[in-house]
Amino acid sequence: MTRIWLLITGVLAIIVFATSLLVVIPNTMIGQVRVPSQLAPYTGQQARGRAVYVAQGCVYCHSQQVRDPVYTSDKDRGWGPRATVPSDYVYDKPHQLGTMRTGPDLINIGVRQPSDQWHHTHLFNPRSLMPWSIMPAFPYLYDVRDSSSLKPGEVFYSVAGGKLPTGKVIVPTADADALVAYLKSLKRTYPVPTGNEPAARSIGGRSEQTMP
Amino acid sequence: MTATLSPHVVELTTSITDLENLDIRLRADASSRQVALRAISFSVIWLIIGSAFGLMASFKLHMPDWLVSSPVLTFGRIRSAHLNAMAYGWASSAMLGVSVWIIPRLVHTELRVPKAAEAGLYIWNIGMVLGIVGILAGYSDGLEWLEMPRYWADPFFVIGGGLVGLSLLSTIAMREVEHLYVSVWYILAAFIWFPIIFVIGNWPTFSGVESAAVNWFYAHNALGLWLTPVCLAAAYYFIPKILGRPIYSYQLSLLGFWTLGFFYSLNGMHHLIGGPLPTWMITTSIVASGLMIIPVMAVGVNQHMTLNKRFGALRYSPTLRFIVFGSVAYTLVSLQGVFMAFREVNRLTHFTHVTVAHAHLGLYSFVTMIMFGSIYYILPRLLGREWVSEKLISWHFWTVGIGQIVYLVPLTVAGMVQGVAMADPTSTWEQVVKAMMPGLIGRSVGGTLLTIGHCVFAYHVWLMFRGARSRQGLPPFHEVAPIITRRTKASFVSGGAA
Amino acid sequence: MLPSSLTVTLAITILGLLTVAAFLWAWRKGQFDRINDQAMLAMDDDDFNVARPWETVAQRAERVAAHGPTQLPAVPGIWGGAR
C-alpha cells in the first residue's frame, strides 16, 4: 500500500462504523427508555453517598446488576427478584454496573440490609460482623469517640467483634451517613416497567425538559 | 581484525560495505533519539510506581486491615491507580517511544517535528501525574479504564497523543520509501484511533446503561485499538529483523490488520454479558469476539511460521525472547477471550478473578513483554553501548517469566472455583470468598516476583543511562548477540572480540 | 447525536460503500500487486549478511546463496550493520 489517505480512510471508517453501532444507535434506542414510576431520583444525601461510593472504588468488588435467571443464579442467591433492565439505571451517572464480584451484588442491598447499625459497623470494620470478610475497613469514615464524650442526641454505634476498645464508640461522618443512605436506597424490586404507567416519562436527548 | 569463527562457519566474510543503508538507520535513530530516550525513562518510572500500587492492592485483598487509615490508600483507589499507571503510564509511554523510534526507520527518513513529539510526551506524562493524584484524592470519574479526572487530566492525553501522532504522520508523509510496511499501518492507525475513542469514552452526557456501553466500548478498544496495534507493530518489525528473514506471509498480515480493526472495535459489550443492555448489542460483541479468531490466527500463524525452524534463536536474543513470549501470549489471551465471550462460559467466569487473570495475560504477558523486548533492542542503539550485564537480563526474564505463571495460574483456577461456587445458590458467600483466597495469595507471590523483575530491569536501564559499560568487553550487541546463553557461544558472533 | 437510527444506518451504508470503492480503486491501481515483496520493507540489506549462531548449515548456505556472504563488524565496538 502506498497511499496514506487510503489507510486513514479505512481506519476512520472502522471506528465510525463501530461507534455508530455501539454508541450512536443505542443512544437513540436506549434514549426511549421510560423512567419507572417506582424509582425515585436520588436525594441530595443519597447522591453525595453515591459520590463517596464512586470515590472509594466500591465498583471494583461489587457489581450492581442482576443477570437473567434463566442462565445465572443471581436471582436464586437472593440478589433480586428479577433481572435488572435499562430503566432501573436512568439516574445512575456514572454507571456502577461493575465487572467483579469479590463481594456480593449490591443493586438490592437496601432491601437485604435495611439497618443503619449493620451498615455502619460493617463499613467501619467488616470483620466485626463476618470474621472471614476480605472487604477493606473504612475507619476514616468514622470518628472513634469515648462513649462518655457523646453529646445528647448524637448518633453513635458500638462495634462488635473486639474491633474497638471498651468504652469507645463510632460516630459516622457526613460522608458515612450519605454512603449508608445511598446503599439503603438501592432497591430494584418493583415489577419491570412496561412503559405504560401514567407517570412514565421519556428521557434522553430529545426530551430533556422532562428530566427531574 | 581477524575474526575467530566456529569451524562450521565456512563462507567468506567481508567488512561492512552497505554504508548507505546504515546511514538511513543512523539518521533515523539520531532524529528520534531524544524523544525515545525520554519516553523510555518515563515509562520505566511508571512501571515501578505501577508495580508498587499493584502489589499493594494485591496484598490488601488478603490483608484487608492493612493501610486502611487513609482514604488515599484504600483498595479501590490503589487498584485504579495501578491500572492507570500501568496502561497509560508504563505501556503507553513506552509505546510512544517505540513508535517514534520505529517509524523513521521504516520510512527511511528523520522524525519530523520532533519538538511536537517531545512536547506531546511531556503533556501525556503531566496528564498521568494529574490523573493518578486525582484518583488517589478521590476524584475518580468512576468508569473503569477512564478513572482519571475527565476535565483536568484527560485533555492532556488527547493533546499529548495527538502531538506525537502529528509528528509521526508528518514523518510518514515525508517518507523516502514508496510502500508502507504493515508496522507503519498499525502504529498510524493506533494514533488515529486513540484520541477518537478516548474522547468518546470520556463524553460527559451519557448516563445509566448507555454510560456502561460507552465505558466498555472504550475500555475494550483501549486494548484492541491502542495497545494491541502498537505492540503488534513492534513484533512485526523486530521478529523478522532479528531472525534475518521477512515475515512468512505479508498478505496474512494485511488480512490481520483489517480484521483486527473491524472486529476488535465491536468487542466491548462482551464485558456486559447478561447485563441490562439490549441483547442485540451484546450479541454483536459476542459474534465479533468469535470472529477475532481470524486476526489472531493471522498474527499467530505468521509469526510462528517466521520463527519456524529457528527456535534456537530464542536462546540468544533477549529482544526476541521477550517478543516471542509476548506474541505467544497474544494468541493465548485472544483465544481465551473468544471462549470467555461465549454466554455458556461467561455465565461462570464473569465477575470472577478469571477476568483479572485474563486482563493480565493481555496487558502483561502480551503488551508488557513486547515493550520489554523492544526496549532491550532500542536502548543500546540509542545510547551506543551494550547492555551492562547478561545476568541482569537473565534475572529480569526469569523473575517476570516465573512471576507470571505464579500470578496467572492460581488466580485463574481460583477464579473458576469462585465462578462455580457463585453459580451454586446453596453456597454461602463465605464459601465463595474462601474459594478465591488461594488465588489472591498466589497473585501476591507472583506480583512480588514481577516487581523484583521490574526493579532489576529499572536498575539495568539506570546503569545504561548512567553510562556504565558492559562488563564483558564485548562490542555493542545487535539482534544476534548471544545474550542469555553460554559464554562459549558468546565468543562466536561477537567475532572473538572478547 | 444524530436524530434517528435511520440516518445513522444510511450514513454507515454510504460510508461502507465508499470504503469498498476505495478498496477496489486501490486494487485496480495495483497497490496490492506483488504484495509479499513488501514484507522486505522491514529489512535492511545488511540484515541478511549477519551470521546468526542458531542457523543450521543449510539455513546459512541458503541465506548466503540468496543475499551474499556474511559480513562482520570491521572493528569491535563499531556497530556496523548491527544497528
Side-chain angles (χ1 to χ4, degrees):
Chain A
M1 168 117 31
T2 60
R3 306 288 165 143
I4 309 181
W5 68 263
L6 201 61
L7 182 61
I8 295 177
T9 310
V11 163
L12 287 176
I14 281 173
I15 196 64
V16 170
F17 176 73
T19 310
S20 308
L21 197 61
L22 295 180
V23 178
V24 180
I25 295 181
N27 181 268
T28 62
M29 292 174 69
I30 303 173
Q32 318 286 340
V33 170
R34 306 267 165 176
V35 177
S37 52
Q38 301 93 325
L39 183 65
Y42 296 114
T43 64
Q45 192 191 32
Q46 289 164 355
R48 175 177 177 174
R50 193 165 200 278
V52 175
Y53 185 95
V54 168
Q56 314 314 312
C58 304
V59 70
Y60 300 113
C61 292
H62 294 286
S63 59
Q64 290 193 7
Q65 53 180 305
V66 179
R67 290 176 295 168
D68 190 340
V70 171
Y71 72 108
T72 73
S73 65
D74 292 3
K75 182 185 168 195
D76 296 337
R77 292 205 78 87
W79 285 342
R82 60 169 173 84
T84 48
V85 295
S87 59
D88 291 330
Y89 300 93
V90 289
Y91 300 117
D92 286 7
K93 188 179 177 179
H95 83 94
Q96 295 285 290
L97 288 179
T99 51
M100 173 52 85
R101 285 172 177 167
T102 303
D105 189 85
L106 295 183
I107 194 65
N108 284 304
I109 187 66
V111 180
R112 293 207 299 281
Q113 295 291 356
S115 146
D116 284 332
Q117 164 80 32
W118 188 91
H119 278 295
H120 283 299
T121 49
H122 183 251
L123 283 167
F124 178 77
N125 192 324
R127 279 152 297 287
S128 63
L129 299 174
M130 290 161 286
W132 46 266
S133 170
I134 56 171
M135 178 169 138
F138 294 93
Y140 56 83
L141 292 173
Y142 295 88
D143 293 327
V144 177
R145 301 254 297 270
D146 283 327
S147 45
S148 55
S149 73
L150 293 163
K151 297 181 203 70
E154 207 167 11
V155 178
F156 68 93
Y157 300 95
S158 51
V159 180
K163 299 295 173 189
L164 269 184
T166 16
K168 299 273 189 189
V169 292
I170 54 168
V171 175
T173 61
D175 274 352
D177 277 330
L179 180 58
V180 170
Y182 168 64
L183 291 171
K184 283 167 67 186
S185 79
L186 286 172
K187 295 172 184 170
R188 301 292 190 277
T189 49
Y190 46 81
V192 176
T194 58
N196 295 325
E197 293 91 336
R201 286 160 299 188
S202 115
I203 64 148
R206 284 153 311 292
S207 51
E208 263 173 336
Q209 68 278 8
T210 63
M211 281 289 282
Chain B
M1 65 152 260
T2 319
T4 328
L5 290 171
S6 304
H8 66 285
V9 180
V10 289
E11 82 267 23
L12 292 172
T13 60
T14 58
S15 58
I16 287 299
T17 50
D18 196 349
L19 289 175
E20 189 197 346
N21 205 303
L22 177 61
D23 182 54
I24 290 165
R25 275 169 284 164
L26 288 174
R27 280 195 294 135
D29 284 6
S31 68
S32 62
R33 183 172 191 271
Q34 180 152 333
V35 191
L37 285 180
R38 301 229 160 128
I40 289 171
S41 25
F42 289 156
S43 73
V44 175
I45 293 169
W46 285 117
L47 177 69
I48 298 299
I49 296 174
S51 306
F53 285 140
L55 207 53
M56 203 190 289
S58 180
F59 275 94
K60 274 170 163 286
L61 272 181
H62 49 85
M63 295 163 61
D65 287 315
W66 180 54
L67 296 178
V68 290
S69 55
S70 160
V72 172
L73 297 176
T74 195
F75 170 81
R77 295 189 191 178
I78 294 293
R79 180 214 188 269
S80 49
H82 162 66
L83 185 148
N84 285 279
M86 286 308 201
Y88 302 104
W90 148 248
S92 297
S93 292
M95 279 159 45
L96 297 181
V98 170
S99 302
V100 297
W101 181 84
I102 281 188
I103 290 285
R105 277 189 164 223
L106 280 174
V107 300
H108 287 197
T109 190
E110 291 97 357
L111 183 71
R112 300 306 155 110
V113 279
K115 292 279 174 225
E118 201 177 343
L121 176 72
Y122 292 145
I123 292 172
W124 183 286
N125 277 275
I126 292 170
M128 272 311 301
V129 173
L130 293 174
I132 298 293
V133 169
I135 290 169
L136 293 179
Y139 295 96
S140 162
D141 282 348
L143 301 169
E144 285 185 63
W145 284 83
L146 291 164
E147 290 95 343
M148 293 190 285
R150 183 174 284 137
Y151 297 112
W152 43 276
D154 290 344
F156 288 86
F157 295 91
V158 179
I159 297 167
L163 282 174
V164 178
L166 188 75
S167 169
L168 294 176
L169 191 59
S170 324
T171 311
I172 297 167
M174 303 300 287
R175 68 189 183 276
E176 288 167 25
V177 289
E178 197 192 358
H179 288 273
L180 298 173
Y181 183 60
V182 67
S183 293
V184 181
W185 298 30
Y186 274 114
I187 289 175
L188 185 60
F191 277 85
I192 294 172
W193 280 328
F194 177 75
I196 298 177
I197 56 169
F198 198 65
V199 168
I200 295 171
N202 277 300
W203 202 256
T205 61
F206 302 111
S207 65
V209 293
E210 268 185 277
S211 155
V214 175
N215 183 180
W216 285 106
F217 171 78
Y218 168 76
H220 202 86
N221 284 343
L223 177 66
L225 301 185
W226 169 239
L227 301 168
T228 299
V230 178
C231 289
L232 289 182
Y236 270 125
Y237 179 72
F238 288 118
I239 292 179
K241 197 149 174 63
I242 293 170
L243 288 173
R245 57 196 316 228
I247 50 170
Y248 172 71
S249 162
Y250 197 71
Q251 279 112 325
L252 213 49
S253 72
L254 298 195
L255 176 79
F257 175 81
W258 292 112
T259 47
L260 176 103
F262 192 67
F263 299 139
Y264 228 142
S265 58
L266 298 174
N267 266 354
M269 302 309 123
H270 70 209
H271 291 267
L272 296 162
I273 293 172
L277 267 81
T279 313
W280 68 265
M281 291 173 75
I282 290 169
T283 306
T284 303
S285 281
I286 294 174
V287 172
S289 305
L291 289 167
M292 278 301 292
I293 284 190
I294 297 169
V296 168
M297 292 320 285
V299 171
V301 167
N302 222 351
Q303 294 178 346
H304 178 86
M305 292 308 287
T306 310
L307 193 61
N308 199 22
K309 295 187 178 152
R310 282 162 172 85
F311 290 99
L314 296 176
R315 285 173 46 239
Y316 292 86
S317 164
T319 296
L320 194 70
R321 188 182 274 213
F322 276 93
I323 286 190
V324 168
F325 190 114
S327 301
V328 172
Y330 173 67
T331 308
L332 285 180
V333 72
S334 305
L335 294 179
Q336 188 194 15
V338 169
F339 286 107
M340 282 171 68
F342 294 140
R343 280 195 173 85
E344 290 70 20
V345 180
N346 192 275
R347 60 181 278 267
L348 290 174
T349 61
H350 196 23
F351 301 119
T352 70
H353 288 277
V354 175
T355 315
V356 181
H358 174 66
H360 282 80
L361 188 57
L363 269 280
Y364 198 100
S365 308
F366 166 46
V367 172
T368 295
M369 292 299 267
I370 289 209
M371 284 299 114
F372 283 147
S374 307
I375 291 175
Y376 273 123
Y377 191 92
I378 295 172
L379 207 52
R381 282 161 182 76
L382 290 181
L383 292 174
R385 47 184 171 265
E386 172 61 290
W387 285 95
V388 179
S389 157
E390 274 178 46
K391 272 216 179 75
L392 287 178
I393 298 181
S394 213
W395 268 95
H396 177 212
F397 181 80
W398 290 108
T399 44
V400 300
I402 295 168
Q404 283 169 74
I405 294 168
V406 178
Y407 183 115
L408 295 172
V409 174
L411 197 61
T412 304
V413 173
M416 288 172 177
V417 179
Q418 177 196 0
V420 171
M422 281 201 296
D424 170 13
T426 61
S427 66
T428 64
W429 198 257
E430 181 178 359
Q431 288 168 320
V432 174
V433 167
K434 289 191 169 153
M436 54 181 115
M437 280 311 272
L440 301 182
I441 291 166
R443 167 167 60 187
S444 287
V445 177
T448 307
L449 280 170
L450 297 180
T451 307
I452 292 171
H454 299 165
C455 291
V456 171
F457 177 65
Y459 172 66
H460 207 177
V461 170
W462 181 73
L463 283 181
M464 288 288 280
F465 273 102
R466 220 195 49 180
R469 294 278 157 183
S470 169
R471 289 188 195 129
Q472 307 152 51
L474 293 174
F477 87 99
H478 59 95
E479 50 270 32
V480 295
I483 295 268
I484 317 187
T485 184
R486 292 188 297 276
R487 289 307 288 264
T488 47
K489 293 277 182 182
S491 59
F492 162 45
V493 150
S494 60
Chain C
M1 289 298 159
L2 292 169
S4 77
S5 337
L6 182 66
T7 321
V8 176
T9 313
L10 280 174
I12 295 176
T13 312
I14 293 166
L15 189 78
L17 290 174
L18 279 177
T19 314
V20 171
F23 176 75
L24 290 176
W25 176 87
W27 188 280
R28 291 170 65 102
K29 284 279 179 182
Q31 300 223 358
F32 298 99
D33 291 355
R34 304 199 311 136
I35 206 156
N36 268 337
D37 290 359
Q38 294 179 28
M40 297 299 283
L41 289 166
M43 312 300 290
D44 296 292
D45 297 346
D46 43 17
D47 284 341
F48 298 108
N49 303 115
V50 180
R52 286 165 167 82
W54 56 81
E55 283 174 324
T56 62
V57 174
Q59 285 168 348
R60 176 167 294 123
E62 196 184 319
R63 176 173 56 75
V64 171
H67 303 286
T70 297
Q71 302 166 349
L72 284 176
V75 185
I78 301 296
W79 287 43
R83 280 205 83 95

